[in-house]
Amino acid sequence: MHIVLDETAMTAAGQGNVLASRLIHRAHAEADWFLYAPSCALVEADRDRPGTAEHLAALPGIIVLDLDLPAALAVARHKTWASAHCLHTSQPTAERPDGAIVATTDPKRWEGEPVRVLDLTP
């Protein structure tokens, strides 16, 4: 299972969202669960709730993704860096042939985008 945390999910995790906490636990405890934190979304989450980036980056189940060249090119074509990096990360790759699911507390923002969404709204 491959799941991308958008900045709303990252902020929710820092505020004790039970569903986000379960995802983090599974990513740490189960070998076939992968939880990604795109760096651009991590920056936005930290702007909304200072300390979020350090907290999430320290968790063993979280994979922080750098802004590499393909991601930077994707970011250049979208309105916000955070959503663009999440969208780019969710697309199929050799490691993730089926792509990844975007976890969010704001599922409406992903309407019209080619992503599968996991609603973390309690």
PDB file of all heavy atoms in Angstrom, residues 8 12 16 19 21 25 29 31 37 63 69 71 73 76 79 82 86 90 97-98:
ATOM      1  N   THR A   8      -2.632  18.768   4.457  1.00  0.00           N
ATOM      2  CA  THR A   8      -3.729  18.740   5.428  1.00  0.00           C
ATOM      3  C   THR A   8      -3.653  17.486   6.285  1.00  0.00           C
ATOM      4  O   THR A   8      -3.944  17.533   7.480  1.00  0.00           O
ATOM      5  CB  THR A   8      -5.104  18.830   4.737  1.00  0.00           C
ATOM      6  OG1 THR A   8      -5.359  17.630   3.985  1.00  0.00           O
ATOM      7  CG2 THR A   8      -5.202  20.048   3.836  1.00  0.00           C
ATOM      8  N   ALA A  12      -3.049  17.332  10.283  1.00  0.00           N
ATOM      9  CA  ALA A  12      -3.995  16.557  11.090  1.00  0.00           C
ATOM     10  C   ALA A  12      -3.273  15.532  11.959  1.00  0.00           C
ATOM     11  O   ALA A  12      -3.646  15.318  13.113  1.00  0.00           O
ATOM     12  CB  ALA A  12      -5.009  15.871  10.183  1.00  0.00           C
ATOM     13  N   GLY A  16      -3.356  15.045  16.314  1.00  0.00           N
ATOM     14  CA  GLY A  16      -3.955  13.865  16.931  1.00  0.00           C
ATOM     15  C   GLY A  16      -5.060  13.192  16.136  1.00  0.00           C
ATOM     16  O   GLY A  16      -5.842  12.428  16.701  1.00  0.00           O
ATOM     17  N   LEU A  19      -7.169   8.711  12.359  1.00  0.00           N
ATOM     18  CA  LEU A  19      -6.965   8.019  11.090  1.00  0.00           C
ATOM     19  C   LEU A  19      -5.544   8.227  10.569  1.00  0.00           C
ATOM     20  O   LEU A  19      -4.902   7.288  10.085  1.00  0.00           O
ATOM     21  CB  LEU A  19      -7.999   8.484  10.061  1.00  0.00           C
ATOM     22  CG  LEU A  19      -9.459   8.206  10.437  1.00  0.00           C
ATOM     23  CD1 LEU A  19     -10.398   8.856   9.442  1.00  0.00           C
ATOM     24  CD2 LEU A  19      -9.713   6.711  10.539  1.00  0.00           C
ATOM     25  N   SER A  21      -2.954   8.872  12.437  1.00  0.00           N
ATOM     26  CA  SER A  21      -2.096   8.117  13.357  1.00  0.00           C
ATOM     27  C   SER A  21      -2.075   6.637  13.006  1.00  0.00           C
ATOM     28  O   SER A  21      -1.024   5.986  13.092  1.00  0.00           O
ATOM     29  CB  SER A  21      -2.572   8.303  14.800  1.00  0.00           C
ATOM     30  OG  SER A  21      -2.421   9.640  15.197  1.00  0.00           O
ATOM     31  N   HIS A  25       1.189   4.392  12.044  1.00  0.00           N
ATOM     32  CA  HIS A  25       1.497   3.145  12.745  1.00  0.00           C
ATOM     33  C   HIS A  25       1.660   1.981  11.765  1.00  0.00           C
ATOM     34  O   HIS A  25       2.612   1.204  11.864  1.00  0.00           O
ATOM     35  CB  HIS A  25       0.401   2.817  13.767  1.00  0.00           C
ATOM     36  CG  HIS A  25       0.573   1.470  14.385  1.00  0.00           C
ATOM     37  ND1 HIS A  25       1.548   1.218  15.328  1.00  0.00           N
ATOM     38  CD2 HIS A  25      -0.076   0.298  14.174  1.00  0.00           C
ATOM     39  CE1 HIS A  25       1.492  -0.058  15.672  1.00  0.00           C
ATOM     40  NE2 HIS A  25       0.506  -0.631  14.988  1.00  0.00           N
ATOM     41  N   ALA A  29       4.796  -0.441  11.180  1.00  0.00           N
ATOM     42  CA  ALA A  29       4.677  -1.824  11.634  1.00  0.00           C
ATOM     43  C   ALA A  29       4.575  -2.868  10.519  1.00  0.00           C
ATOM     44  O   ALA A  29       4.906  -4.033  10.746  1.00  0.00           O
ATOM     45  CB  ALA A  29       3.465  -1.957  12.557  1.00  0.00           C
ATOM     46  N   ALA A  31       5.464  -4.240   6.634  1.00  0.00           N
ATOM     47  CA  ALA A  31       6.484  -4.117   5.584  1.00  0.00           C
ATOM     48  C   ALA A  31       5.928  -3.656   4.234  1.00  0.00           C
ATOM     49  O   ALA A  31       6.642  -3.045   3.460  1.00  0.00           O
ATOM     50  CB  ALA A  31       7.208  -5.449   5.414  1.00  0.00           C
ATOM     51  N   ALA A  37       5.884  11.573   2.429  1.00  0.00           N
ATOM     52  CA  ALA A  37       5.707  12.981   2.764  1.00  0.00           C
ATOM     53  C   ALA A  37       6.495  13.796   1.743  1.00  0.00           C
ATOM     54  O   ALA A  37       7.706  13.979   1.884  1.00  0.00           O
ATOM     55  CB  ALA A  37       6.204  13.265   4.177  1.00  0.00           C
ATOM     56  N   ILE A  63       8.462   8.323   4.722  1.00  0.00           N
ATOM     57  CA  ILE A  63       9.500   8.501   3.703  1.00  0.00           C
ATOM     58  C   ILE A  63       9.367   9.926   3.158  1.00  0.00           C
ATOM     59  O   ILE A  63       8.385  10.243   2.487  1.00  0.00           O
ATOM     60  CB  ILE A  63       9.344   7.471   2.568  1.00  0.00           C
ATOM     61  CG1 ILE A  63       9.415   6.048   3.123  1.00  0.00           C
ATOM     62  CG2 ILE A  63      10.390   7.706   1.482  1.00  0.00           C
ATOM     63  CD1 ILE A  63       8.914   4.984   2.166  1.00  0.00           C
ATOM     64  N   LEU A  69      14.320  16.602 -10.070  1.00  0.00           N
ATOM     65  CA  LEU A  69      14.016  17.316 -11.315  1.00  0.00           C
ATOM     66  C   LEU A  69      12.625  17.007 -11.855  1.00  0.00           C
ATOM     67  O   LEU A  69      11.868  17.944 -12.170  1.00  0.00           O
ATOM     68  CB  LEU A  69      15.084  17.036 -12.378  1.00  0.00           C
ATOM     69  CG  LEU A  69      14.839  17.733 -13.727  1.00  0.00           C
ATOM     70  CD1 LEU A  69      14.754  19.249 -13.556  1.00  0.00           C
ATOM     71  CD2 LEU A  69      15.919  17.358 -14.719  1.00  0.00           C
ATOM     72  N   ALA A  71       9.967  16.114 -10.268  1.00  0.00           N
ATOM     73  CA  ALA A  71       9.004  16.746  -9.362  1.00  0.00           C
ATOM     74  C   ALA A  71       9.017  18.261  -9.541  1.00  0.00           C
ATOM     75  O   ALA A  71       7.970  18.900  -9.536  1.00  0.00           O
ATOM     76  CB  ALA A  71       9.313  16.374  -7.918  1.00  0.00           C
ATOM     77  N   LEU A  73       9.697  19.932 -12.225  1.00  0.00           N
ATOM     78  CA  LEU A  73       9.001  20.238 -13.474  1.00  0.00           C
ATOM     79  C   LEU A  73       7.492  20.133 -13.293  1.00  0.00           C
ATOM     80  O   LEU A  73       6.739  20.937 -13.847  1.00  0.00           O
ATOM     81  CB  LEU A  73       9.492  19.317 -14.590  1.00  0.00           C
ATOM     82  CG  LEU A  73      10.962  19.488 -14.977  1.00  0.00           C
ATOM     83  CD1 LEU A  73      11.376  18.426 -15.992  1.00  0.00           C
ATOM     84  CD2 LEU A  73      11.236  20.884 -15.507  1.00  0.00           C
ATOM     85  N   ALA A  76       6.214  23.192 -11.400  1.00  0.00           N
ATOM     86  CA  ALA A  76       6.181  24.398 -12.231  1.00  0.00           C
ATOM     87  C   ALA A  76       4.873  24.533 -13.006  1.00  0.00           C
ATOM     88  O   ALA A  76       4.506  25.639 -13.413  1.00  0.00           O
ATOM     89  CB  ALA A  76       7.364  24.381 -13.209  1.00  0.00           C
ATOM     90  N   LYS A  79      -0.678  25.119  -9.544  1.00  0.00           N
ATOM     91  CA  LYS A  79      -0.961  26.323  -8.769  1.00  0.00           C
ATOM     92  C   LYS A  79      -0.165  26.385  -7.462  1.00  0.00           C
ATOM     93  O   LYS A  79       0.400  27.418  -7.130  1.00  0.00           O
ATOM     94  CB  LYS A  79      -2.465  26.373  -8.474  1.00  0.00           C
ATOM     95  CG  LYS A  79      -2.931  27.647  -7.847  1.00  0.00           C
ATOM     96  CD  LYS A  79      -4.438  27.633  -7.742  1.00  0.00           C
ATOM     97  CE  LYS A  79      -4.934  28.928  -7.135  1.00  0.00           C
ATOM     98  NZ  LYS A  79      -6.379  28.967  -7.042  1.00  0.00           N
ATOM     99  N   ALA A  82       2.714  22.400  -2.928  1.00  0.00           N
ATOM    100  CA  ALA A  82       2.333  21.255  -2.104  1.00  0.00           C
ATOM    101  C   ALA A  82       1.455  20.280  -2.882  1.00  0.00           C
ATOM    102  O   ALA A  82       1.745  19.078  -2.936  1.00  0.00           O
ATOM    103  CB  ALA A  82       1.621  21.721  -0.842  1.00  0.00           C
ATOM    104  N   CYS A  86       2.469  16.450  -4.271  1.00  0.00           N
ATOM    105  CA  CYS A  86       1.635  15.299  -3.889  1.00  0.00           C
ATOM    106  C   CYS A  86       1.088  14.595  -5.128  1.00  0.00           C
ATOM    107  O   CYS A  86       1.121  13.366  -5.217  1.00  0.00           O
ATOM    108  CB  CYS A  86       0.487  15.747  -2.990  1.00  0.00           C
ATOM    109  SG  CYS A  86       0.991  16.259  -1.354  1.00  0.00           S
ATOM    110  N   SER A  90       1.918  10.767  -6.405  1.00  0.00           N
ATOM    111  CA  SER A  90       0.859   9.764  -6.491  1.00  0.00           C
ATOM    112  C   SER A  90       0.803   9.042  -7.840  1.00  0.00           C
ATOM    113  O   SER A  90       0.137   8.010  -7.958  1.00  0.00           O
ATOM    114  CB  SER A  90      -0.497  10.411  -6.219  1.00  0.00           C
ATOM    115  OG  SER A  90      -0.887  11.229  -7.299  1.00  0.00           O
ATOM    116  N   PRO A  97       3.700   0.790  -9.331  1.00  0.00           N
ATOM    117  CA  PRO A  97       3.045   0.641 -10.641  1.00  0.00           C
ATOM    118  C   PRO A  97       1.572   1.060 -10.657  1.00  0.00           C
ATOM    119  O   PRO A  97       1.065   1.485 -11.689  1.00  0.00           O
ATOM    120  CB  PRO A  97       3.185  -0.838 -10.970  1.00  0.00           C
ATOM    121  CG  PRO A  97       3.863  -1.480  -9.828  1.00  0.00           C
ATOM    122  CD  PRO A  97       4.251  -0.456  -8.843  1.00  0.00           C
ATOM    123  N   ASP A  98       0.906   0.977  -9.515  1.00  0.00           N
ATOM    124  CA  ASP A  98      -0.494   1.406  -9.437  1.00  0.00           C
ATOM    125  C   ASP A  98      -0.629   2.817  -8.905  1.00  0.00           C
ATOM    126  O   ASP A  98      -1.738   3.283  -8.625  1.00  0.00           O
ATOM    127  CB  ASP A  98      -1.294   0.443  -8.552  1.00  0.00           C
ATOM    128  CG  ASP A  98      -1.390  -0.941  -9.163  1.00  0.00           C
ATOM    129  OD1 ASP A  98      -1.461  -1.053 -10.400  1.00  0.00           O
ATOM    130  OD2 ASP A  98      -1.388  -1.922  -8.385  1.00  0.00           O
TER     131      ASP A  98
END
